[in-house]
Amino acid sequence: MFSILKNLWPWLAAIGSGLLATACFPPFNQSWLCWIALTPLIVAIWFSGENSRRRWLRNLLLGYIAGIVFFTATFSWLGALGDLYESFFLHVLSFLLSIYLGLHFAFWAWFIGLIKPATFTASWRNLLIAFVAASAWVTHEWTRGWLFSGFSWNGLGVALHAEWSMIQIAEFTGVVGLSFAIAFANIIAVTTPLRLFAEARTHQMRPHFDLTLTMVGVVGLLAFGLHRVQHSSPVKTVRVAAVQTSISQMQKLEGLPAEQVLDTCDKLSALAVQRQPDVKLIVWPEGSLPQRVSYDNLALQLPAILAERSGADLLFGADYQEGDRAYNAALLVSPNGESQVYRKVHLVPFGEYIPLRHSFPPFAAIAGIWVPGDFNAGTEHTVFNLTSGDVRVAPLICFEDTVGDLVRRFVINGANLLVDVTNDGWFLHSSGSRQHVANAIFRCVENRRPMVRAANTGVTCFVNEFGRVTQILQDDTGKTFNEGVLTGEISVPQDRQMSFYTRHGEWFAESCVIVTAIAILAIFGRRWIGRSAGDAK
């Protein structure tokens, strides 16, 4: 029995890390667990498999198991597509996705196996190990965000999305700066007890600068955040209404009459004007118009009439046709009849296009059951100008509000208000919509711009420039999957000042990549020199 447990515990520890990390995110939101979530995996890698012939491979597999558990569990809401399409294949989509995403966890597990120290009694060594390990963690998160079009959701730093006083450092480092701090703390959480145990055996206690500096760093993040939120830029108050139609995706797939969709939008928009007569911007969600539109299409008549009648700009999502090219687009119709168009730049693979559709027909034939045609990707980060002046809108569509580098390009182009139109109805009443908001919050902090989110169903809300959700559309029971309209005032910054992150982008992540690469080269270089010296003898 003891022998079985000895062989089994490292794998149970890896699974435990995956489950602890999952609990940090919606629907569980136990963010405090992020500070210890990686410790079981670290212990398993450092203190098991000493006699393994290929320990590096064992470490890879431990990390891979942790990654598969985490990504399968945290993205389990993707299985809602299986209910929508009555497909077993789509029910296990999160597991299939984790087969790839788990490789990123595996890389980190392999790396920390390389850097395990011989002893844990020196503060400087523990701090160095934590620094390099945290850099490697950021490296894998950043790589996951762009490789094969990227899927950056639920990095460790996102676990702190509700702790607005802790996340303000993102204006300098991006959300990965928080991931760095969390991974760093996880390493110290392992080395500190080991060091205390070793010192107790030798009766030689030393100052624990590694633990002290880590705690000072965490408190420093909190202190900076509390200080930062007390200082805001000059603002202009704009009255905004966000419409949530709550039309199920099943109804759309079954061909809900266009008149019914437009009547719902019209009714809720009229309610918004009634509540707030001087509203300046009304936002409908992604895919609001049931038919494909073009620049001079009759389908734009209702939005144009409504904009003229209300005196407000109307921003909405629609399929947009331009010659033989189709786009997932956002349009802004002004009271004077003018319109502006943004063509979505960052398309979702397998949702808005099928990779290798034309070069690998068998694959396209299978995936094409759910995605019969491809959208084209836009090329410009178009910023909309509101009629009221001094407000320039970044019209984000769907998951674009989770892509840091993309959003900052809109802000560089002059946007001072982020607006996301989305349709999370694809994932029914799952936690997907709440995870979407959790990831989107960091775009506000990184760029110091407020955000308006209008969802077909899910989470319609307002977020200020400090990442705090100031208003949310929900019923008396707290549910967010309901028809309605959210009205309120948004404080839009007017000084056109850009944050450090906006100006310099993913400099922190790229620096961590360099640190990780140097560490790997140094480790293997030292081993090569050691082997060469041994051969020479």
Side-chain angles (χ1 to χ4, degrees), residues 12 117 410 447 511:
L12 294 176
F410 285 96
N447 299 283
S511 299

Side-chain angles (χ1 to χ4, degrees), residues 72 75-95 426-428 430:
T72 299
F75 296 139
S76 60
W77 47 268
L78 288 169
L81 292 170
D83 294 327
L84 195 63
Y85 287 102
E86 298 181 347
S87 166
F88 171 79
F89 175 81
L90 294 178
H91 271 298
V92 297
L93 188 57
S94 64
F95 172 71
W426 289 100
F427 311 111
L428 307 181
S430 68

Side-chain angles (χ1 to χ4, degrees), residues 241-247 264-265 268 283-285 422 453-461 472-474 479-486:
V243 167
Q244 181 164 293
T245 51
S246 197
I247 298 171
T264 301
C265 291
L268 293 173
V283 185
W284 294 354
T422 186
R453 299 187 81 254
N456 170 50
T457 182
V459 183
T460 293
C461 63
I472 187 168
L473 182 65
Q474 56 188 7
K479 294 181 179 179
T480 59
F481 300 97
N482 53 290
E483 179 184 300
V485 59
L486 184 66

